[in-house]
Each structure stands twice: as C-alpha cells, then as structure tokens.
C-alpha cells in the first residue's frame, strides 16, 4: 500500500533549512516509532519508507514522507499525525510542523491498474531530482543517471513491497532498458552530507523517452511514476533521491 504525508517545517530559531536535514529527521522519526516497528525496519534490506526535504525559502521547507506498505503507513501516521513540533538536537532547535496532508491509501494493485489499463501511456516522462541522487555500482558512486540505473533501482524497490504484481520478467525489463533513452537533461553535481561523509551525487531534471509496444510503454509509465513514492538510487530513507515526475 502506498501512502504519503506532506507537511511544512520551520526551525524555531530561524535556521535556513537544508535537504540534508532529511537524515536528521529520519533519526527523529525512528525515535518516535514503537520498538516493534523499529525491529521491522532493521529486518528490511530495502526500507519501506522514503522521505526528503524540499527547501521553500529561508524560513521553511516541505517534508514528504512516503510509506510503501501497510505496516510502515500505520506506524508513521500514528507518530506524526498529531505532532506539532520535533526537537532536533543536531540542528539545535525545535522544528515546528504545520499544514499536514495525509493521502488516501493506494494498493499496489490499484496503482498498477492506473497505468496498465488506464489512458494511453506516454513516451516521455520528466523526472525532477529534488534532493541529491546517487547510485552505487562496483563499490563506486555513479553521479550521472542512465536508464539502466534508474529502472533497476525502481524495480528493486517495487518488488520489495508490491503485493500481487512482481516485475520479475528479466527479458521484459532488459527490453525496456534497451528501448529507453535520456532525451534531455539539466543536471548539476551535488554533495549530500551524511554521517560526516560527503556522498557524490547530482540534482536536476532528466527526460526519459521510451519506444516500443503499448504494453512496454505502460510498464515504463508504471515504473517511473513509482519513483514519487520510492525515490531513486541509494539512501532514499535518509533524504536522498527525492523525486517528482511529470508528463505521464
């Protein structure tokens, strides 16, 4: 089940918000969750939560928390729904929370049906990387996206949490990768500060273009659109890889 919480945050001391606050907020969120869910999180190789910070201005930012299954959705909503402030020791101030919006739950089957049997699929989809994104390959950071890196990242995340529809046809996925290209990009290099480490990454926009049969295009629309919930690349639970898509 897919669900999202969107809210506005403001530092009481007026400190300028940063996307790297996503790491601090993840830690605070874990502290507010019950021990049973914390144990569940530790058991997952891919985390059922993605979250990130989008800076609005010098005084406020938007915090988006995406839950990818029922267990995480119930736990996070219970922890955040009635919370109006959080104290962040790492920033040294209280964070005021307002304008909470909690989306209605969407099952993985309903999400699939939206794209696999809905309106005509699109050939071109633009991905906006709102927070630093990076990939890991052969123990090295990859700071430029490719159709293969994006699609494989999203498929792994989808298969970890989808109920009833797994994307496990290797031939179909390889065919999709082969027929997808980067048609346009506006990117810049970036660094994401995490646990005292600077992770090489990138920010900006990429337009992916896919060709082939209608069924292949529907799969393309499904996978890329899922990025708004899962994020793309590494450490999406800690604030990296936050995305929005348009054009589908």
């Amino acid at each position: 089940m897919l669900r999202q919480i969107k809210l506005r945050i403001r530092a009481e001391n007026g400190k300028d918000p940063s996307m790297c606050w996503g790491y601090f907020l993840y830690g605070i969120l874990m502290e507010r969750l019950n021990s049973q869910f914390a144990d569940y999180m530790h058991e997952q190789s891919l985390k059922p939560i993605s979250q990130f910070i989008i800076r609005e201005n010098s005084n406020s930012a938007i915090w988006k928390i995406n839950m990818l299954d029922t267990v995480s959705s119930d736990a996070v909503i219970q922890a955040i729904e009635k919370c109006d402030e959080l104290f962040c020791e790492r920033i040294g101030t209280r964070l005021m929370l307002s304008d909470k919006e909690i989306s209605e739950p969407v099952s993985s089957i309903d999400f699939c049906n939206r794209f696999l049997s809905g309106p005509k699929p699109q050939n071109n989809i633009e991905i906006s990387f709102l927070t630093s994104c990076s990939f890991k390959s052969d123990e090295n950071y990859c700071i430029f996206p490719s159709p293969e890196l994006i699609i494989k990242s999203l498929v792994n995340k989808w298969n970890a949490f989808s109920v009833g529809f797994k994307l496990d046809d290797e031939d179909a996925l390889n065919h999709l990768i082969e027929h997808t290209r980067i048609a346009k990009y506006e990117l810049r290099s970036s660094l994401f500060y995490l646990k005292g480490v600077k992770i090489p990454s990138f920010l900006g926009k990429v337009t992916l273009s896919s060709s082939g049969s209608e069924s292949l295009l529907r799969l393309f629309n499904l996978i890329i659109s899922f990025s708004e919930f899962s994020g793309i690349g590494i450490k999406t639970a800690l604030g990296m890889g936050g995305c929005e898509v348009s054009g589908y």
Side-chain angles (χ1 to χ4, degrees):
M1 182 181 71
L2 306 176
R3 210 162 185 188
Q4 182 184 86
I5 299 176
K6 179 181 176 182
L7 51 86
R8 180 168 283 103
I9 64 172
R10 179 180 56 83
E12 188 180 44
N13 66 359
K15 192 174 182 64
D16 196 0
S18 163
M19 66 179 172
C20 294
W21 286 11
Y23 170 50
F24 305 146
L25 285 168
Y26 176 78
I28 296 172
L29 181 59
M30 291 301 102
E31 291 173 358
R32 295 185 62 85
L33 298 172
N34 61 57
S35 58
Q36 184 177 3
F37 181 72
D39 292 339
Y40 170 74
M41 284 285 289
H42 288 305
E43 294 169 359
Q44 308 301 310
S45 57
L46 292 174
K47 304 304 182 188
I49 292 174
S50 76
Q51 57 84 33
F52 59 95
I53 297 290
I54 309 170
R55 182 181 181 275
E56 280 191 310
N57 52 53
S58 60
N59 297 314
S60 67
I62 298 298
W63 185 19
K64 288 187 177 182
I65 311 170
N66 300 295
M67 294 78 71
L68 306 182
D69 63 10
T70 302
V71 175
S72 62
S73 177
D74 292 345
V76 172
I77 290 175
Q78 182 177 3
I80 293 293
E81 188 173 19
K82 297 181 180 180
C83 180
D84 295 323
E85 63 180 56
L86 299 168
F87 180 76
C88 183
E89 185 176 353
R90 296 290 296 273
I91 304 173
T93 187
R94 287 191 303 172
L95 298 176
M96 315 308 293
L97 312 181
S98 62
D99 302 326
K100 295 187 189 73
E101 299 176 12
I102 302 175
S103 71
E104 292 297 320
V106 178
S107 71
S108 57
I109 295 299
D110 287 341
F111 190 80
C112 284
N113 289 336
R114 174 183 173 186
F115 295 98
L116 300 183
S117 59
K120 182 180 178 181
Q122 301 299 309
N123 294 82
N124 300 295
I125 300 179
E126 181 182 86
I127 305 173
S128 295
F129 295 95
L130 303 176
T131 62
S132 295
C133 180
S134 188
F135 303 92
K136 226 20 182 341
S137 178
D138 296 327
E139 301 304 316
N140 294 311
Y141 291 110
C142 300
I143 62 170
F144 193 87
S146 70
E148 180 177 13
L149 289 171
I150 292 172
I151 290 172
K152 285 187 174 181
S153 171
L154 292 173
V155 167
N156 286 338
K157 296 175 190 297
W158 174 270
N159 286 339
F161 304 110
S162 173
V163 177
F165 182 73
K166 300 294 185 181
L167 302 173
D168 53 7
D169 187 330
E170 290 293 331
D171 290 338
L173 292 176
N174 288 334
H175 193 57
L176 176 59
I177 292 169
E178 291 170 1
H179 285 77
T180 302
R181 64 184 179 87
I182 294 178
K184 181 181 178 182
Y185 65 87
E186 298 175 23
L187 299 172
R188 66 183 186 277
S189 60
S190 176
L191 292 173
F192 193 88
Y193 295 86
L194 183 67
K195 302 178 184 178
V197 176
K198 300 175 183 178
I199 299 180
S201 48
F202 62 88
L203 288 163
K205 298 180 180 181
V206 166
T207 299
L208 293 181
S209 180
S210 186
S211 60
S213 65
E214 180 175 321
S215 59
L216 194 69
L217 288 177
R218 288 188 178 279
L219 184 60
F220 168 69
N221 281 241
L222 167 65
I223 292 172
I224 303 304
S225 300
F226 177 60
S227 67
E228 290 197 313
F229 289 95
S230 67
I232 295 176
I234 61 173
K235 305 192 183 300
T236 52
L238 303 183
M240 295 188 69
C243 297
E244 289 182 354
V245 301
S246 59
Y248 68 85

